[in-house]
């Protein structure tokens, strides 16, 4: 309590107000700190604990609003302390989004973070000679930037980066701290992240148009009446990023960032959609999940990856699919073995602090042994007891062509090119071309055509054309006589349908493009797609050439291929 008056002079009611506030504040901190001890995997263990934490923070927030004057006079409540409560609630909503994959909670996190800035809760921090308070402010900015990136609020991100840069400069100038390099690295990372998209869409006044890449209503070709496809639903996804030297921010590589958005619907207003998490009772059954649940794993070790994979597998509901996305450095086999099994083709790198030279070459002590820090195709075999959809973006993606379906459940692997043409390799730091096609096919198409900017009117025209292409590709896949049934088993789910359609468009584009000359430049699948009916189908090729014609870049593509049919 403040020293403004002796304790006995404080009316009993006001003293109780301060006591109640201190209790709620302590309880909220205790519960918040306990969140760190919750397991990161599994859907059920954490829900009731989150509910209790939200409850206490809801009470704390309302309490300080109702009793602000008493708390100002008797407790000495400072604005940065209110900001700290709001920041914690923003973090709770963000972590709830990470746990549930419901994008609506991002909007809630944004509203609290936004209020902190608008109401200048942290403005007085710089006047206090306490570096730890300034660090709280800097961390708030970094968290706010992550939420804005995920909501595609790019103009605001640029403003926040400028604010953060000024705050870091002031912080390092006033306090001789050891973390100056770390904060400057944060700035560099977010600047590179903002610049990662290879194409800008511009309005007539040259302002940049931000286009959302999440799944919108009507964004997926509908199934034709009577079309026989599987009734499986994508329920869980592991998104793994372990590429050396790829742009990243806050343990999200640009590839992970793109893929997570490709597996989400556009956020809707939370108030009309569902109960707020603070009101969730542990006994309540959660509403039907709009988005697949996701685990985001940045540079996991093998044991971490396997633990999360096992948890996702264990909790996968009936008639559901587990998706695994691997964006990682390739690990290649050394030497030959008499028997080529699922551990003889290499795989993708899992994290280890040793054995890595220049990020690419992995050395083993004994050539006869398999690489330990590697996810081999054989490592996934136990998980093919349930429907499994794998996307591998790696220089050794073809290792996963050597799959065997042991249990008769549907298994599909979409595999990136292992080598890109020389002039495309320069951009690998800014994200993989294959993932870009799965996330935003038009942007990827423009990039391979050497176009770095485009007017919004032409962009919209091309997007409209791509909707027609997607519809035709959907029909092509579902009507194919010789396609493996595994593809059709997954075709009933909207997210997986769109990934398969975008894969076919990506492959057809690369096969027609004059610069992509080698087989290694093309993506592949397990099981194999019937090329004549899909990626080399004359109708698909015609669509690719039509899009090239709209953009006036048809000279980059081989248009004589149609003569062969």
């Amino acid at each position: 309590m403040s020293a403004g008056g002796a304790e006995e002079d404080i009316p009993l009611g006001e003293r109780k107000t301060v006591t109640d506030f201190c209790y709620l504040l302590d309880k909220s901190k205790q519960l918040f700190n306990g969140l760190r001890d919750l397991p990161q995997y599994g859907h059920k263990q954490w829900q009731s604990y989150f509910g209790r934490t939200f409850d206490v923070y809801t009470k704390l927030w309302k309490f300080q609003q109702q009793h602000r004057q008493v708390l100002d006079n008797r407790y000495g409540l400072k604005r940065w302390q209110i900001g700290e409560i709001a920041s914690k609630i923003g973090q709770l909503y963000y972590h709830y989004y990470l746990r549930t994959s419901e994008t609506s909670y991002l909007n809630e996190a944004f509203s609290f973070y936004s209020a902190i800035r608008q109401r200048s809760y942290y403005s007085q921090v710089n006047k206090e000679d306490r570096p730890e308070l300034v660090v709280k402010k800097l961390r708030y900015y970094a968290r706010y930037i992550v939420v804005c990136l995920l909501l595609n609020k790019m103009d605001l991100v640029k403003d926040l980066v400028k604010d953060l840069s000024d705050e870091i400069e002031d912080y390092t100038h006033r306090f001789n701290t050891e973390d100056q390099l770390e904060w400057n690295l944060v700035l560099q990372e977010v600047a590179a992240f903002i610049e990662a998209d290879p194409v800008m869409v511009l309005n007539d006044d040259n302002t940049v148009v931000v286009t959302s890449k999440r799944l919108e209503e009507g964004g997926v070709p509908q199934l034709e009446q009577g079309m026989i496809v599987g009734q499986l639903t994508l329920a869980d996804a592991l998104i793994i990023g372990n590429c050396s030297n790829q742009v990243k921010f806050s343990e999200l590589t640009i590839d992970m960032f793109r893929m997570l958005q490709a597996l989400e619907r556009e956020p809707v207003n939370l108030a009309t959609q569902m109960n707020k998490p603070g009101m969730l009772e542990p006994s309540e059954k959660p509403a039907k999940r709009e988005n697949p649940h996701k685990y985001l794993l940045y540079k996991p070790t093998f044991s971490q990856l396997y633990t999360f994979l096992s948890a996702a597998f264990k909790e996968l509901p009936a008639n559901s699919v587990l998706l695994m996305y691997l964006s990682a450095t390739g690990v290649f086999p050394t030497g030959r073995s008499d028997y080529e099994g699922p551990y003889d083709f290499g795989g993708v790198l899992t994290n280890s602090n040793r054995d890595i030279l220049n990020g690419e070459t992995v050395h083993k002590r004994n050539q006869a042994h398999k690489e330990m820090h590697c996810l081999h195709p054989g490592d996934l075999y136990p998980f093919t007891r349930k429907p499994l959809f794998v996307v591998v973006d790696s220089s050794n993606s073809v290792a996963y062509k050597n799959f065997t379906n042991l249990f008769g459940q549907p298994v599909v692997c979409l595999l990136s090119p292992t080598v890109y043409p020389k002039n495309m390799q320069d951009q690998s730091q800014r994200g993989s071309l294959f993932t870009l096609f799965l996330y935003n096919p038009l942007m990827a198409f423009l990039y391979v055509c050497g176009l770095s900017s485009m007017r919004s009117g032409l962009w919209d025209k091309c997007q409209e054309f791509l909707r027609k292409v997607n519809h035709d590709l959907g029909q092509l896949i579902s009507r194919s006589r010789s396609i493996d049934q595994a593809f059709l088993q997954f075709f009933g789910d909207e997210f997986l349908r769109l990934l398969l359609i975008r894969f076919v468009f990506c492959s057809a584009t690369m096969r027609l493009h004059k610069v992509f000359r080698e087989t290694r430049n093309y993506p592949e699948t397990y099981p194999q797609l019937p090329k004549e009916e899909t990626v080399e189908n004359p109708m698909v090729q015609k669509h690719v050439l039509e899009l090239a014609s709209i953009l006036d870049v048809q000279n980059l593509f081989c248009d004589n291929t149609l003569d062969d049919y």
Side-chain angles (χ1 to χ4, degrees):
M1 298 197 186
S2 69
E7 194 167 317
E8 55 272 15
D9 296 339
I10 300 173
L12 195 61
E14 292 187 7
R15 192 181 306 168
K16 185 176 185 311
T17 296
V18 173
T19 307
D20 288 352
F21 176 76
C22 290
Y23 169 77
L24 284 173
L25 191 62
D26 288 344
K27 186 72 178 168
S28 68
K29 287 177 180 174
Q30 180 189 337
L31 285 167
F32 192 90
N33 292 337
L35 292 172
R36 296 190 193 112
D37 302 326
L38 292 177
Q40 293 298 304
Y41 46 84
H43 299 170
K44 307 204 171 59
Q45 301 93 322
W46 57 271
Q47 198 133 18
S48 60
Y49 192 95
F50 253 87
R52 289 207 309 279
T53 310
F54 267 115
D55 267 349
V56 170
Y57 270 98
T58 303
K59 286 175 187 166
L60 178 64
W61 186 251
K62 287 178 179 170
F63 194 88
Q64 63 81 24
Q65 284 177 319
Q66 289 162 356
H67 304 283
R68 180 75 56 82
Q69 193 153 10
V70 173
L71 292 170
D72 281 351
N73 295 338
R74 303 299 189 188
Y75 176 80
L77 184 67
K78 295 187 167 61
R79 288 190 67 74
W80 66 261
Q81 290 173 301
I82 302 169
E84 194 62 8
I85 296 168
S87 181
K88 287 279 200 297
I89 296 172
Q91 286 177 66
L92 276 176
Y93 275 115
Y94 175 66
H95 284 288
Y96 207 78
Y97 156 72
L98 289 180
R99 294 267 184 176
T100 62
S101 298
E102 290 301 349
T103 37
S104 304
Y105 293 122
L106 279 174
N107 283 335
E108 295 298 299
F110 174 80
S111 65
F112 274 91
Y113 285 148
S114 176
I116 292 169
R117 186 167 178 248
Q118 286 170 357
R119 297 174 192 174
S120 306
Y121 281 138
Y122 280 123
S123 62
Q124 301 301 307
V125 160
N126 294 16
K127 293 180 181 173
E128 305 208 19
D129 195 27
R130 293 173 61 187
E132 73 277 9
L133 287 185
V134 183
V135 168
K136 283 179 188 283
K137 185 178 185 178
L138 299 182
R139 285 181 178 157
Y140 150 71
Y141 270 108
R143 291 182 182 117
Y144 190 12
I145 287 168
V146 171
V147 168
C148 290
L149 283 171
L150 287 164
L151 288 170
N152 290 305
K153 296 181 184 289
M154 289 312 195
D155 288 345
L156 183 51
V157 168
K158 287 169 186 170
D159 291 345
L160 292 173
V161 169
K162 187 180 180 308
D163 287 358
L164 178 59
S165 177
D166 294 343
E167 294 289 348
I168 290 170
E169 194 174 325
D170 179 65
Y171 168 63
T172 52
H173 180 70
R174 288 175 57 215
F175 306 102
N176 188 17
T177 61
E178 293 177 4
D179 55 358
Q180 180 177 354
L181 284 175
E182 287 172 41
W183 282 109
N184 284 333
L185 183 62
V186 168
L187 279 178
Q188 288 166 26
E189 284 182 349
V190 72
F193 213 88
I194 295 167
E195 300 298 323
D197 278 358
V199 179
M200 283 192 300
V201 184
L202 301 171
N203 279 318
D204 293 337
D205 60 357
N206 284 343
T207 53
V208 177
V209 180
V210 178
T211 57
S212 176
K213 321 302 184 307
R214 286 188 174 89
L215 189 59
E216 293 176 313
E217 198 66 42
V220 185
Q222 294 305 298
L223 295 170
E224 291 178 286
Q225 209 166 1
M227 190 186 290
I228 300 171
V229 296
Q231 301 301 307
L232 298 170
T233 303
L234 178 59
D236 255 284
L238 268 78
I239 297 178
I240 294 147
N242 193 15
C243 279
S244 49
N245 304 324
Q246 194 176 90
V247 167
K248 65 163 276 283
F249 184 60
S250 181
E251 301 217 326
L252 268 184
T253 66
I254 193 72
D255 277 356
M256 292 170 72
F257 176 74
R258 286 170 176 165
M259 185 49 68
L260 80 87
Q261 290 190 75
L263 299 177
E264 289 181 347
R265 298 179 193 278
E266 269 299 300
V268 294
N269 188 320
L270 188 62
T272 59
Q273 168 82 357
M274 62 189 87
N275 290 332
K276 293 197 176 187
M279 311 305 158
L280 274 180
E281 291 300 321
S283 56
E284 280 184 47
K285 287 184 180 173
K288 178 181 174 292
R289 184 176 285 143
E290 281 293 306
N291 297 320
H293 173 265
K294 295 182 297 296
Y295 291 116
L296 306 175
L297 302 180
Y298 173 66
K299 295 199 169 179
T301 61
F302 176 81
S303 56
Q304 286 170 328
L305 195 160
Y306 227 59
T307 302
F308 279 85
L309 183 54
S310 301
F313 177 83
K314 180 187 172 206
E315 299 208 340
L316 196 69
N319 301 317
S320 295
V321 182
L322 174 59
L323 180 143
M324 189 168 190
Y325 169 78
L326 294 160
S327 162
T329 301
V331 177
F332 297 89
T334 50
R336 300 286 299 165
S337 79
D338 298 333
Y339 162 72
E340 289 208 323
Y343 287 87
D344 293 315
F345 300 98
V348 300
L349 191 66
T350 53
N351 196 21
S352 149
N353 295 327
R354 55 198 169 77
D355 300 340
I356 303 172
L357 181 66
N358 298 330
E360 280 290 337
T361 314
V362 181
H363 292 284
K364 302 197 296 292
R365 289 188 181 83
N366 186 328
Q367 294 296 308
H369 295 155
K370 307 303 176 197
E371 173 52 47
M372 278 200 314
H373 304 294
C374 168
L375 187 78
H376 298 268
D379 292 325
L380 298 183
Y381 278 20
F383 304 101
T384 60
R385 287 176 170 83
K386 293 181 181 179
L388 184 65
F389 193 100
V390 183
V391 181
V392 186
D393 198 334
S394 172
S395 52
N396 191 25
S397 59
V398 290
Y400 296 83
K401 264 201 325 186
N402 305 288
F403 237 76
T404 307
N405 190 334
L406 299 174
F407 303 107
Q409 292 290 324
V411 178
V412 161
C413 304
L414 306 184
L415 310 170
S416 71
T418 53
V419 174
Y420 290 103
K422 279 208 168 63
N423 60 332
M424 304 280 170
Q425 291 170 356
D426 308 341
Q427 295 295 321
S428 59
Q429 260 191 299
R430 293 166 71 177
S432 158
L433 179 58
F434 179 64
T435 294
L436 188 60
F437 262 105
L438 298 181
Y439 158 75
N440 189 341
L442 181 53
M443 185 173 283
F445 191 88
L446 295 173
Y447 171 63
V448 298
C449 295
L451 300 170
S452 59
S453 65
M454 168 176 280
R455 293 288 164 198
S456 57
L458 184 54
W459 173 271
D460 293 341
K461 181 182 176 183
C462 292
Q463 285 285 38
E464 194 55 46
F465 179 75
L466 265 185
R467 270 189 275 277
K468 176 183 183 300
V469 174
N470 284 350
H471 174 266
D472 291 350
L473 290 179
Q475 286 192 342
L476 205 68
I477 292 168
S478 59
R479 291 176 180 177
S480 169
R481 298 276 174 91
S482 54
I483 195 167
D484 191 288
Q485 285 301 300
F487 292 101
L488 298 182
Q489 290 271 59
F490 292 125
F491 214 63
D493 181 86
E494 288 192 333
F495 291 107
L496 300 180
R497 191 185 320 152
L498 202 53
L499 286 180
L500 288 167
I501 287 170
R502 287 172 173 177
F503 175 89
V504 172
F505 176 73
C506 165
S507 188
T509 299
M510 289 174 175
R511 286 165 190 276
L512 280 181
H513 200 292
K514 289 176 181 174
V515 173
F516 292 76
R517 292 176 183 163
E518 301 178 53
T519 312
R520 299 183 302 166
N521 297 159
Y522 308 143
E524 299 199 44
T525 60
Y526 166 86
Q528 280 202 330
L529 279 170
K531 292 187 175 60
E532 321 73 51
E533 293 186 28
T534 54
V535 296
E536 290 179 358
N537 180 286
M539 183 197 76
V540 180
Q541 294 178 328
K542 181 169 173 284
H543 281 328
V544 171
L545 296 173
E546 282 174 5
L547 182 57
S549 179
I550 293 171
L551 297 166
D552 201 21
V553 289
Q554 56 270 54
N555 60 312
L556 299 176
F557 294 86
C558 306
D559 54 4
N560 58 347
T561 49
L562 299 183
D563 301 339
D564 301 338
Y565 292 90

